Amino acid sequence: MARPSSHDTAHSEETEGGGFDYWTTQHDGEVRLRQDRNLRESEAPLTVHDLVMGTAVKYSHYVALGSKHRSGWHLLTYIEYYEECRRAAKAFLRLGLERFHSVGIMGLNSQEWVIASIGAIMAGGFSVGLLSTNSPRVCRLIAQKSKMDIFVVDSDRQLQKVTQIRGSLKHLKAIVQYQEEIRREQRGLYSWQRFLELAKAVSDAQLDQVIDSQKPNQCCTLVHRPGAAGRPKLAMLSHDNITWTTAATVQSLCFRRPPEGQEVLLCYLPLSCFRAQLFHVWVAVAVAGALYFAQPEAALRGSLVDLLREVQPTSFYGVPWVWEQLLDALKARQLDASAFRQKVDAWARSVGLRDNRRPGFRRQVHPSLCFRLAKLLTFDSARRFLGLGSCRQFLSSGLRLPRLTFNFFLSLNIPILELYGLAEASGVHSLCTQNNFQLQSCGKAIPGAHTKVVDEDAQGEGRVCVWGRNVFMGYLDDKESTQQWMDAQGWLRTDDLGFLDMNNFLSVTGNIKDVIKLQSGESINPHPIEDRVKLGLPIARHVVVVGQGAPFLCALLTLKCQINPETGEPRHMLTSEAVAFCRKLHSQSTRLLDIVYGHDPAVLEAVSLAIEAANASAPSNGARIVKWCILDKDFSVAGGELGATLKLRRAVVAKMYQVEMRRFYEDHQEG
């Protein structure tokens, strides 16, 4: 099959006014690749098909995907994986998928999800992942904007959403349902097996013709991003965005390939979130790793440790809430240990934190005798308990990990490599590596990419801007938003705040949208303040600093409560760690209501002391928390305060807790 050369893809699409050739907003647009001529990464770009086929040919008989069924694990080899993707692509063509139209995928992580996504790309369409929590209205807007020809759903619940909006989708030709059996037949609805059988009517030559027409600098994936007034934006990612970013990430980190060894990866974060998709799907393909699927609900409901113990991953990627969940599991285990065991573990953690905080600790060839003993007594058993006994690298993305969480894992010789990325930068832009590591930093730009910080304040903090072949093509049919994010030189202006040190390590400290502007005009980044409070208050689950347009800052706090394993909703019972914290304060509280409505003096005093300690480090009087309150329930996805990946939704919290926020300022207004 003929493949486009790098010369073919160097041409850019001309846009109105000229100059903005690094981006496009058209379905069939092509962009100029941000190639750095001084580096080797400027080799011929690849399409997604090239990447998948290359691995399938070279590692054909290695395990690619593992799905758990009642009878055990169902495994697919790489050659079977590739052939299933081709079958799906043919079936999409048979259903009428048009070039540069989309296939929407809405459901739980599964091999069908991934095969549908890659199949849609091979067939010349766009893969569009939708969150299972999306409303019918959001689904409709995404489907209309992306010219969605086919909807792939996992269950009757998701099918009902599509059924509600079907009449308004002029391009929709078919719906495919996987996992659950179809309850009621309807026109254009196919089961997964019946869908795949449609492939028989399409020849290999017909599919190959479509594959050969694809160019690396054309769009293949759309990522849903929140927009103004609830209208979604769709970030366009090209073949090259995905394949180049994947290659640069693999080059930077320590992944093994067969036959020396095969990476084992756990797929549990929603694949509609592209950062998770990059590590779960594309990195797995690039290194010929074995990807095992877990239901996302299992992780959200607190059984992630059980999944890790079963799969035994060799590399583990998480987000801050995942690492905090694992931290809670470790602390609960410690509380059940004997007093002697607790003393041994405390000694081991002090050794681990001391040695691991030394400059260049990852290059230590001969660890101290105390460190080796601590590893034997505590570190190895902690990893085994978490199911990370075979894990060689630990990754985290999102906002910077809380210092308490980062330091705890570091003390157990689990150095978490933090990375920075966003969907508009194909999931990854900078990262720490085992050989290029800096505490509480998200590392340096991946090879061939560049970072700068603009509009810096007196402390050197400013807006983070990124450049590289990982930068997206633009927002589909949205020139105004694209121009707001992209400049003529191809730099992507993000909404993230951070700073670069003298060695070009990037630290991300917050987001412009989260900055609070006080009545005095002073602008406050809430994230460092919240981090300081949580550092001194391990019983706190969430700390949300508020005060937009107000005379001073206040804080809403939630405490660590048990999670209902069936619904994922928080209970009123405190976690064992929180109860132990209360006992140290000589408090007998075991429920959240004991503290909130019982006005537990010991706990309230502990909160006051933590707030005072955080205020002592405040850079200005305006950055001090004046008032606070503990909410009578923890945040959750079901409650609306948290997103699908448990990211805090600040705007929702501010709307839901207006009464509590008004009380903070009533006395001040009366005065």
Side-chain angles (χ1 to χ4, degrees), residues 345-357:
D345 288 344
W347 170 81
R349 290 199 308 275
S350 67
V351 171
L353 190 61
R354 181 196 66 201
D355 286 15
N356 282 336
R357 290 190 72 88

Side-chain angles (χ1 to χ4, degrees), residues 577-593:
E577 178 200 353
V579 171
F581 180 84
C582 290
R583 294 298 176 269
K584 287 183 180 179
L585 301 174
H586 304 293
S587 163
Q588 298 304 309
S589 294
T590 58
R591 299 182 308 154
L592 177 60
L593 301 182

Side-chain angles (χ1 to χ4, degrees), residues 377-421:
L377 294 174
T378 298
F379 302 162
D380 290 346
S381 63
R383 287 194 182 195
R384 287 193 298 270
F385 171 78
L386 292 175
L388 298 174
S390 302
C391 204
R392 298 167 57 249
Q393 60 185 351
F394 313 90
L395 306 166
S396 178
S397 71
L399 263 179
R400 189 169 66 183
L401 277 171
R403 272 182 290 171
L404 184 69
T405 304
F406 181 88
N407 287 339
F408 190 89
F409 281 103
L410 194 64
S411 74
L412 289 170
N413 197 33
I414 299 178
I416 300 173
L417 306 177
E418 297 196 66
L419 61 95
Y420 168 70

Side-chain angles (χ1 to χ4, degrees), residues 475-511:
Y475 292 114
L476 181 64
D477 294 333
D478 191 345
K479 187 176 292 186
E480 182 181 354
S481 295
T482 303
Q483 288 177 319
Q484 287 176 356
W485 279 66
M486 206 97 71
D487 69 16
Q489 288 73 46
W491 281 93
L492 172 67
R493 297 185 294 265
T494 78
D495 278 339
D496 293 310
L497 296 170
F499 61 88
L500 287 167
D501 70 8
M502 60 186 299
N503 295 315
N504 279 327
F505 279 92
L506 174 67
S507 293
V508 177
T509 57
N511 188 279

Side-chain angles (χ1 to χ4, degrees), residues 59-65 75-82:
Y59 304 102
S60 58
H61 299 299
Y62 284 90
V63 172
L65 304 178
L75 305 177
L76 283 182
T77 63
Y78 266 97
I79 194 65
E80 291 170 334
Y81 183 12
Y82 175 68

Side-chain angles (χ1 to χ4, degrees), residues 19-45:
F20 291 101
D21 52 357
Y22 285 108
W23 60 262
T24 182
T25 61
Q26 302 301 312
H27 282 74
D28 57 351
E30 298 176 26
V31 293
R32 176 182 175 185
L33 302 182
R34 296 164 176 79
Q35 292 176 290
D36 191 330
R37 297 177 181 177
N38 298 319
L39 295 172
R40 289 182 59 194
E41 83 283 347
S42 295
E43 297 170 354

Side-chain angles (χ1 to χ4, degrees), residues 225-513:
R225 306 294 283 158
R231 300 193 67 83
K233 296 187 293 186
L234 296 177
M236 303 168 65
L237 296 183
S238 68
H239 292 265
D240 185 70
N241 283 148
I242 294 174
T243 57
W244 182 87
T245 306
T246 300
T249 302
V250 169
Q251 176 186 340
S252 301
L253 296 170
C254 296
F255 292 104
R256 295 175 297 181
R257 288 185 176 90
E260 290 78 15
Q262 187 179 26
E263 293 290 342
V264 176
L265 305 168
L266 177 64
C267 181
Y268 69 102
L269 292 171
L271 290 173
S272 52
C273 300
F274 193 79
R275 265 184 303 202
Q277 188 181 135
L278 184 86
F279 280 97
H280 289 338
V281 178
W282 303 113
V283 165
V285 170
V287 302
L291 181 66
Y292 291 88
F293 290 94
Q295 303 298 344
E297 275 79 356
L300 297 177
R301 292 173 184 173
S303 57
L304 178 59
V305 171
D306 295 332
L307 297 170
L308 290 169
R309 289 172 184 164
E310 184 171 8
V311 174
Q312 294 289 316
T314 56
S315 291
F316 181 67
Y317 162 75
V319 290
W321 72 263
V322 168
W323 290 108
E324 291 186 28
Q325 186 180 114
L326 296 181
L327 173 65
D328 290 344
L330 279 171
K331 289 191 172 182
R333 176 196 184 222
Q334 289 175 352
L335 292 171
D336 293 333
S338 66
F340 176 73
R341 178 78 250 180
Q342 290 183 26
K343 289 182 179 179
V344 170
D345 288 344
W347 170 81
R349 290 199 308 275
S350 67
V351 171
L353 190 61
R354 181 196 66 201
D355 286 15
N356 282 336
R357 290 190 72 88
R358 290 174 179 169
F361 77 91
R362 295 303 299 162
R363 294 185 292 274
Q364 286 183 3
V365 179
H366 304 292
S368 67
L369 176 62
C370 286
F371 189 90
R372 282 179 284 165
L373 183 60
K375 181 177 183 296
L376 181 66
L377 294 174
T378 298
F379 302 162
D380 290 346
S381 63
R383 287 194 182 195
R384 287 193 298 270
F385 171 78
L386 292 175
L388 298 174
S390 302
C391 204
R392 298 167 57 249
Q393 60 185 351
F394 313 90
L395 306 166
S396 178
S397 71
L399 263 179
R400 189 169 66 183
L401 277 171
R403 272 182 290 171
L404 184 69
T405 304
F406 181 88
N407 287 339
F408 190 89
F409 281 103
L410 194 64
S411 74
L412 289 170
N413 197 33
I414 299 178
I416 300 173
L417 306 177
E418 297 196 66
L419 61 95
Y420 168 70
L422 60 167
E424 288 84 355
S426 305
V428 175
H429 178 75
S430 69
L431 44 75
C432 282
T433 69
Q434 294 184 359
N435 296 319
N436 209 355
F437 181 88
Q438 183 165 290
L439 298 173
Q440 292 279 265
S441 158
C442 45
K444 296 183 178 182
I446 54 179
H450 303 278
T451 313
K452 68 179 180 181
V453 176
V454 300
D455 303 327
E456 296 173 307
D457 61 16
Q459 287 73 43
E461 182 180 278
R463 182 193 290 260
V464 177
C465 299
V466 303
W467 189 95
R469 277 166 63 180
N470 55 332
V471 174
F472 78 140
M473 300 175 69
Y475 292 114
L476 181 64
D477 294 333
D478 191 345
K479 187 176 292 186
E480 182 181 354
S481 295
T482 303
Q483 288 177 319
Q484 287 176 356
W485 279 66
M486 206 97 71
D487 69 16
Q489 288 73 46
W491 281 93
L492 172 67
R493 297 185 294 265
T494 78
D495 278 339
D496 293 310
L497 296 170
F499 61 88
L500 287 167
D501 70 8
M502 60 186 299
N503 295 315
N504 279 327
F505 279 92
L506 174 67
S507 293
V508 177
T509 57
N511 188 279
I512 290 173
K513 294 177 181 177

